[in-house]
């Protein structure tokens, strides 16, 4: 492996000589660590050196060791970006010198040294080298959404997120602590609040666990609290991040993705034309709205700020303010308006309401010491696609509202779009001429509870725009699952050193060399298969699923999309029968399903081999194998249904009861395959991920279990075998899972 491949992210300048340095062997190396005086603190970096070096060398520190490792400070060279995060490392005979240009740079210098020091065949050998490094974007990190998985993360799990970010020199973690979506499971609105609030004890959102556990040999039906809210450890997480150079900040949504507060406190809710609460959005004309919002903001700041770690950044969200179905459990078919229609609000444009509200929130937060307030871009410069006219530009209204309160330097507009294709992104640049501070928000794939894909194209093109526009931050839209290891690493690479990281192909090759050096060819092939199965292409018709496989999987094949209410369709949805007419009519669609199944089966086999050949990354390879097994199960659901549908048609024609037995056997086989994949899930992923992942897998498993039982236990003369609607056979368990 090349030395540059060990350093994450890709370093800016690295000169390597042919001279080799022997640092000893594992368990026998002696060294001493020194630090010099500096105009900034070196203590965090120095403590990390003292703590983690023995782990690398496998021995105790020797006070008079032959190898000297020195941590010192210096002024940064002229012209480098973000010099306070820059550093240099020089390795030569008998010594390694780490030179920091700021406190953060000292920590990153130590991170780089720890990445480089690896024993090969028990020996530590390095080429002599000289390194200068610094990040091109000032803030680099993730926005982790309040959603499936994060709602069950314990403090130790969140600490692992911070540690993973430290390993790739990222420095900002945004935790979404309030967000809401429409109804999906259990005829409940999807609402999340991750913090406790004094005086608002009803602001609680339980987590419902519903799935089959092969480990337990039984179904799990539990209701539990969200650990972060129940144990109130957000402050501990912020302190842990501070110790490691990661700013941890809250995101608390407001007008967008907002049903819990207006539903529980209807005086704050947007009103319909008859004055009734919409239970979504806010009435910005009602003083009670700001009394509650500001109280909640103040509690966050008062409880989780400390003198040495104040909350200086805050995210107010405010995206996707729109009319929604299924935000009222008692009336899911009515589309509720998130924009207030009370007598005062109806006299204003939506833009006036939005920007006045944004300015009020920022003014209050700024008065509490917040220096940066993030907000989404889509209501400022509206999203557009090829299918819509050019966006209306409301930025002058925002600028006017912010300038009125001297907030232009406080606001940072967060630009998000999730296409892999530059021509299908919602914007082509970040409009620096608008004069706003800006950050870029690619995504890492997000939908881990359903299926994992790696949106490499989106990450590349979005971060490219950030560099071109002089954005200050990369804050990806994320859920946390280590199966997103590759996209998370590529984000770190491109946001630190875009040109040095290179093209998408360059980045893929470097990633493979870093983690699977003994199986480069196999790993490249495995990723090629995965990426082809989840490809996004520039079809003129967005419903052309054959050319856009990602949309095909997401909109038609995985259960998760059937958890949503859709106008004009029954709810709960007719799953899986809803798709059967297409399977009967579209031969090309069915052929592509079978082709994708073969591809992921091949990829799964490759990852199994890669895990055996690369012991240091075996767990990662096994995780990727699991993802391919899950895709196999998804495709097998539908190819099995296609086969069953054909067999049902044969039975209707021949009345040969042997066909019924064959159908039962086929349903049983797919039930068992789903159980095999759920077993693999429980043996592969973290506990906090299991309930949401397993629920989406238990539902199709239960369907095939119900079908098997129906075929085996129902007299042939009473069978109703129309695979486009088998709801008559649904068990109580199947319906409870949904």
């Amino acid at each position: 492996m090349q030395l540059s491949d060990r350093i994450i992210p890709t370093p800016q300048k690295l000169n390597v000589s042919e001279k080799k340095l022997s640092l000893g062997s594992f368990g026998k190396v002696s060294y001493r660590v020194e630090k010099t005086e500096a105009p900034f603190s070196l203590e965090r970096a120095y403590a990390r050196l003292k703590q983690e070096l023995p782990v690398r060398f496998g021995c105790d520190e020797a006070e008079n060791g032959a190898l000297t490792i020195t941590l010192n400070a210096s002024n940064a060279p002229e012209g480098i970006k973000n010099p306070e995060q820059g550093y240099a490392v020089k390795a030569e005979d008998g010594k390694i010198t780490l030179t920091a240009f700021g406190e953060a740079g000292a920590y990153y210098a130590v991170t780089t040294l720890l990445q480089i020091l690896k024993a090969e065949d028990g020996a530590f050998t390095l080429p002599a080298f000289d390194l200068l490094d610094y990040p091109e974007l000032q803030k680099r990190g993730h926005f982790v959404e309040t959603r499936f998985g994060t709602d069950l993360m314990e403090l130790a799990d969140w600490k692992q997120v911070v540690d993973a970010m430290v390993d790739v020199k990222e420095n900002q973690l945004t935790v979404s602590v309030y967000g809401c979506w429409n109804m999906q499971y259990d005829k409940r609105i999807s609402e999340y609040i991750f913090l406790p609030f004094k005086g608002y004890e009803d602001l609680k959102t339980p987590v419902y666990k519903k799935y089959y556990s092969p480990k337990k040999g039984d179904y799990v039906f539990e209701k539990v609290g969200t650990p972060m809210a129940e144990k109130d450890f957000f402050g501990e997480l912020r302190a842990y991040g501070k110790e490691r150079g990661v700013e941890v900040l809250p995101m608390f949504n407001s007008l967008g993705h907002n049903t819990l507060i207006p539903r529980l406190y209807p005086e704050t809710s947007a009103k319909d034309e008859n004055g009734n609460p919409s239970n979504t959005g806010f009435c910005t004309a009602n003083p009670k709205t700001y009394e509650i919002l500001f109280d909640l903001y103040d509690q966050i700041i008062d409880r989780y700020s400390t003198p040495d770690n104040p909350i200086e950044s805050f995210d107010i969200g405010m995206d996707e303010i729109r009319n929604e179905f299924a935000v009222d459990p008692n009336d899911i078919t009515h589309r509720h308006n998130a924009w207030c229609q009370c007598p005062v609000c109806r006299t204003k444009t939506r833009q006036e309401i939005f920007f006045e509200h944004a300015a009020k929130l920022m003014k209050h937060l700024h008065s509490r010491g917040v220096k940066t307030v993030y907000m989404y871009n889509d209501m400022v410069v509206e999203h557009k696609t090829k299918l819509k006219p050019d966006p209306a530009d409301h930025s002058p209204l925002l600028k006017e509202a912010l300038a009125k309160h001297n907030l232009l330097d406080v606001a940072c507009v967060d630009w998000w779009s999730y296409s892999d294709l530059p021509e299908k992104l919602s914007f082509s640049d970040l409009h620096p001429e608008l004069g706003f501070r800006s950050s870029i928000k690619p995504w890492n794939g997000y939908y881990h509870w359903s299926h994992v894909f790696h949106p490499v194209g989106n990450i590349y093109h979005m971060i490219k725009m950030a560099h071109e526009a002089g954005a200050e931050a990369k804050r990806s839209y994320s859920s946390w699952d280590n199966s997103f290891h590759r996209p998370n690493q590529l984000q770190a690479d491109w946001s630190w050193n875009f040109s040095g990281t290179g093209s998408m192909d360059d980045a893929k090759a470097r990633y493979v060399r870093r983690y699977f050096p003994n199986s480069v060819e196999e790993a490249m092939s495995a990723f090629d298969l995965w990426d082809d199965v989840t490809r996004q292409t520039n079809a003129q018709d967005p419903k052309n699923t054959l050319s856009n496989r990602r949309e095909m999987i997401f909109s038609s094949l995985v259960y998760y999309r059937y958890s949503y209410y859709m106008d004009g369709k029954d709810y709960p949805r007719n799953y899986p029968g809803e798709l059967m007419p297409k399977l009967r009519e579209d031969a090309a669609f069915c052929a592509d399903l079978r082709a994708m199944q073969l591809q992921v089966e091949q990829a799964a086999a490759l990852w199994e081999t890669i895990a055996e050949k690369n012991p240091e990354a075996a767990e990662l390879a096994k995780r990727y194998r699991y993802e391919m097994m899950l895709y196999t199960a998804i495709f097998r659901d539908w190819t099995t249904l296609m086969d069953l549908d054909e067999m049902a048609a044969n039975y209707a024609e021949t009345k040969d009861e042997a066909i019924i037995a064959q159908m039962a056997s086929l349903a049983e086989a797919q039930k068992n395959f789903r159980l095999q994949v759920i077993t693999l899930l429980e043996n592969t992923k973290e506990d906090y991920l299991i309930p949401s992942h397993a629920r989406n897998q238990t539902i199709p498993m239960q369907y095939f279990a119900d079908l098997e039982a129906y075929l085996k236990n129902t007299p042939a003369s009473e069978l109703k075998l129309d695979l486009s609607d088998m709801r008559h056979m649904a068990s109580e368990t199947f319906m409870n899972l949904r």
Side-chain angles (χ1 to χ4, degrees):
M1 184 190 297
Q2 301 173 31
L3 185 65
S4 61
D5 290 339
R6 294 187 186 181
I7 303 170
I8 310 169
T10 304
Q12 296 287 349
K13 297 179 181 179
L14 176 62
N15 297 314
V16 180
S17 78
E18 295 182 359
K19 186 174 182 179
K20 298 295 182 182
L21 304 179
S22 177
L23 308 180
S25 58
F26 189 79
K28 296 181 180 179
V29 179
S30 60
Y31 61 88
R32 63 179 181 272
V33 177
E34 301 174 344
K35 68 179 176 72
T36 63
E37 294 297 320
F40 46 82
S41 176
L42 298 176
E43 290 305 318
R44 285 193 308 115
Y46 184 67
R48 189 179 183 202
L49 264 179
K50 300 275 282 185
Q51 179 181 354
E52 297 192 30
L53 275 176
V55 177
R56 292 295 189 274
F57 284 108
C59 64
D60 295 330
E61 181 181 359
E63 291 296 329
N64 298 307
L67 176 67
T68 302
I69 301 174
T70 303
L71 179 62
N72 64 19
S74 174
N75 293 327
E78 289 291 330
I80 73 168
K81 296 180 178 178
N82 301 301
E84 71 286 351
Q85 299 182 52
Y87 66 95
V89 181
K90 188 169 185 177
E92 51 194 332
D93 281 333
K95 62 180 179 179
I96 299 175
T97 305
L98 312 179
T99 302
F101 310 138
E103 184 176 355
Y107 207 74
Y108 295 150
V110 171
T111 301
T112 291
L113 178 62
L114 294 171
Q115 291 168 347
I116 289 171
L117 291 176
K118 292 184 178 180
E120 295 181 356
D121 297 324
F124 287 90
T125 303
L126 288 175
F129 70 90
D130 196 351
L131 167 71
L132 174 65
D133 207 9
Y134 53 88
E136 292 168 355
L137 297 185
Q138 182 186 48
K139 297 286 186 181
R140 304 161 309 283
H142 302 278
F143 166 93
V144 178
E145 185 61 274
T146 44
R147 216 61 166 103
F148 306 114
T150 53
D151 55 357
L152 289 173
M153 288 172 68
E154 299 283 353
L155 177 58
D157 302 316
W158 285 103
K159 286 181 175 180
Q160 288 180 357
V161 175
V162 172
D163 292 342
M165 294 174 63
V166 169
D167 287 344
V168 294
K169 304 183 181 81
E170 292 187 315
N171 59 0
Q172 190 186 70
L173 171 61
T174 305
V175 179
S176 177
V177 298
Y178 173 62
C180 309
W181 286 260
N182 46 15
M183 185 182 298
Q184 290 171 262
Y185 301 91
D186 305 311
K187 293 189 176 180
R188 295 176 57 253
I189 307 171
S190 296
E191 297 169 326
Y192 302 84
I193 195 153
F194 280 12
L195 303 178
F197 291 97
K198 186 177 180 180
Y200 303 89
E201 284 72 23
D202 51 349
L203 282 180
K204 288 186 177 181
T205 50
V207 182
Y208 287 79
K209 299 180 180 181
K210 293 187 175 185
Y211 66 98
Y212 183 79
S213 169
K215 277 188 176 180
K216 297 178 180 179
D218 200 357
Y219 293 88
V220 174
F221 295 109
E222 295 177 357
K223 183 175 80 169
V224 299
T226 298
M228 185 178 285
E230 295 283 313
K231 300 176 183 179
D232 196 14
F233 56 68
F234 184 64
E236 293 176 72
L237 176 62
R238 293 195 71 248
Y240 187 81
K242 170 73 172 177
E243 291 172 3
R244 287 152 182 80
V246 176
E247 177 192 24
V248 179
L249 64 129
M251 183 273 200
F252 195 105
N253 220 323
S254 181
L255 285 175
H257 291 279
N258 171 38
T259 57
L260 181 64
I261 294 173
R263 183 170 59 79
L264 295 180
Y265 303 94
E267 63 270 34
T268 70
S269 174
K271 308 300 189 293
D272 65 18
E273 57 276 6
N274 298 316
N276 300 314
S278 293
N279 294 340
T280 181
F282 283 134
C283 174
T284 58
N286 190 332
K288 191 68 175 178
T289 294
Y290 295 101
E291 178 185 328
I292 290 177
L293 262 183
F294 291 168
D295 190 15
L296 296 174
Y297 285 178
D298 288 346
Q299 288 196 40
I300 293 172
I301 293 169
D302 292 340
R303 186 182 303 127
Y304 305 116
S305 280
T306 59
D308 68 332
N309 189 21
I311 293 178
E312 295 185 337
S313 302
F314 203 107
D315 193 325
I316 59 173
M318 305 222 305
D319 61 318
E320 297 183 320
I321 307 171
R322 57 195 180 193
N323 300 346
E324 294 271 19
F325 291 109
V327 294
D328 182 347
N330 300 313
D331 187 8
I332 64 174
T333 64
H334 177 66
R335 201 164 195 165
H336 288 252
N337 192 345
W339 296 97
C340 186
Q341 300 296 305
C342 79
V344 176
C345 291
R346 75 177 60 153
T347 66
K348 299 180 179 181
T349 67
R350 291 181 175 182
Q351 290 74 31
E352 288 172 330
I353 291 172
F354 178 85
F355 296 123
E356 288 175 4
H357 180 66
K360 284 181 181 178
L361 300 187
M362 289 187 197
K363 182 179 179 182
H364 180 79
L365 289 168
H366 188 49
S367 74
R368 295 302 318 274
V370 175
K371 297 178 180 178
T372 298
V373 178
Y374 296 99
M375 63 180 293
Y376 285 117
N377 74 291
D378 56 303
M379 306 303 294
V380 180
V381 178
E382 292 174 357
H383 275 185
K384 70 181 180 69
T385 69
K386 293 280 186 182
L387 306 178
K388 296 179 181 178
D390 287 339
D393 182 0
H394 303 308
S395 58
L397 287 169
L398 177 61
K399 187 174 292 187
E400 180 181 332
L402 297 179
K404 181 179 179 182
H405 300 287
N406 297 314
L407 295 169
L408 280 173
D409 290 338
V410 175
C412 188
V413 177
D414 215 9
W415 295 79
W416 67 274
S417 187
Y418 302 140
S419 172
D420 269 10
L421 307 170
E423 62 271 24
K424 287 203 165 187
L425 292 170
S426 306
F427 42 83
S428 57
D429 66 79
L430 306 191
H431 300 286
E433 74 280 358
L434 299 178
F436 295 121
R437 295 169 59 191
S438 62
S439 66
I440 199 73
K441 194 176 231 73
W443 67 338
N444 69 353
Y446 181 60
Y447 293 102
H448 59 90
W449 57 87
S450 173
H451 59 299
V452 167
F453 57 90
H454 292 170
V456 176
N458 173 265
I459 295 165
Y460 175 82
H461 294 297
M462 291 283 279
I463 297 180
K464 181 173 183 285
M465 269 195 279
H467 287 287
E468 291 171 346
E472 63 187 63
K474 182 276 300 182
R475 312 169 63 245
S476 80
Y477 189 75
S478 308
S479 284
W480 200 260
D481 183 325
N482 288 326
S483 291
F484 292 131
H485 186 263
R486 178 171 61 136
N488 289 348
Q489 292 258 320
L490 297 186
Q491 288 189 28
D493 271 328
W494 277 316
S495 58
W496 183 279
N497 180 3
F498 186 78
S499 61
T501 299
S503 68
M504 287 181 271
D505 287 341
D506 293 335
K508 178 190 284 188
R510 183 178 291 106
Y511 178 80
V512 166
R513 292 196 306 268
R514 279 175 181 166
Y515 294 101
F516 311 108
N518 302 327
S519 305
V520 170
E521 185 175 340
E522 295 100 322
M524 291 291 284
S525 295
F527 280 128
D528 286 344
L529 288 164
W530 190 348
D531 293 342
D532 187 57
V533 164
T534 59
R535 69 178 181 237
Q536 185 179 25
T537 51
N538 193 17
Q540 291 300 312
D541 179 1
K543 296 181 180 179
N544 185 343
T545 52
L546 286 184
S547 63
N548 193 341
R549 284 174 157 187
R550 184 178 301 174
E551 179 61 25
M552 173 189 191
I553 294 167
F554 191 66
S555 66
S556 300
L557 304 185
V558 295
Y559 176 74
Y560 175 63
R561 284 303 288 267
Y562 293 91
S563 71
Y564 280 88
Y565 171 80
M566 182 175 288
D567 191 28
K569 295 187 181 295
D570 293 340
Y571 194 81
R573 301 269 290 276
N574 175 20
Y575 170 83
E578 197 176 294
L579 188 64
M580 289 307 299
K582 183 174 182 63
L583 295 180
R584 290 168 179 165
E585 298 164 6
D586 194 333
F589 183 90
C590 295
D592 206 33
L593 271 174
R594 295 190 188 278
M596 290 191 293
Q597 182 178 325
L598 291 174
Q599 285 181 275
V600 294
E601 288 172 350
Q602 182 182 353
L606 283 169
W607 285 118
E608 188 169 16
T609 300
I610 294 164
E612 294 171 357
K613 293 182 178 180
N614 296 268
E616 287 191 2
E619 293 306 311
L620 182 59
K622 289 176 183 178
R623 202 173 185 106
Y624 288 157
R625 176 181 179 269
Y626 161 76
E627 301 299 347
M628 294 302 94
M629 292 293 289
L630 174 57
Y631 272 98
T632 301
I634 292 167
F635 297 139
R636 272 188 52 153
D637 286 344
W638 299 101
T639 57
T640 298
L641 285 167
M642 288 154 51
D643 294 339
L644 287 167
D645 196 51
E646 184 177 343
M647 295 166 76
N650 289 340
Y651 172 73
E653 184 177 337
T654 65
K655 300 301 179 183
D656 181 356
E657 293 189 13
I659 295 174
I660 302 300
Q662 293 169 4
M663 292 178 69
S665 179
L666 194 58
E668 182 182 18
Q670 184 56 11
K671 174 200 73 176
N672 288 336
F673 188 77
R674 274 290 187 175
L675 284 171
Q676 177 187 342
V677 176
I678 298 172
T679 301
L680 189 59
L681 165 67
E682 288 193 314
N683 292 329
T684 302
K685 293 203 174 184
E686 293 75 18
D687 289 346
Y688 64 86
L689 296 173
I690 303 302
S692 57
H693 289 221
R695 184 173 192 172
N696 283 300
Q697 297 183 46
T698 302
I699 290 168
M701 182 278 291
Q702 188 64 48
Y703 173 86
F704 286 106
D706 289 355
L707 181 57
E708 176 198 358
Y710 179 70
L711 292 166
K712 287 181 176 179
N713 300 326
T714 306
S717 60
E718 298 177 16
L719 287 170
K720 299 177 183 178
L721 293 178
D722 178 2
L723 273 293
S724 66
D725 191 349
M726 295 294 291
R727 284 177 284 184
H728 55 276
M729 68 158 200
S731 65
E732 182 179 343
T733 300
F734 180 73
M735 298 309 298
N736 188 19
L737 287 164
R738 303 183 66 193

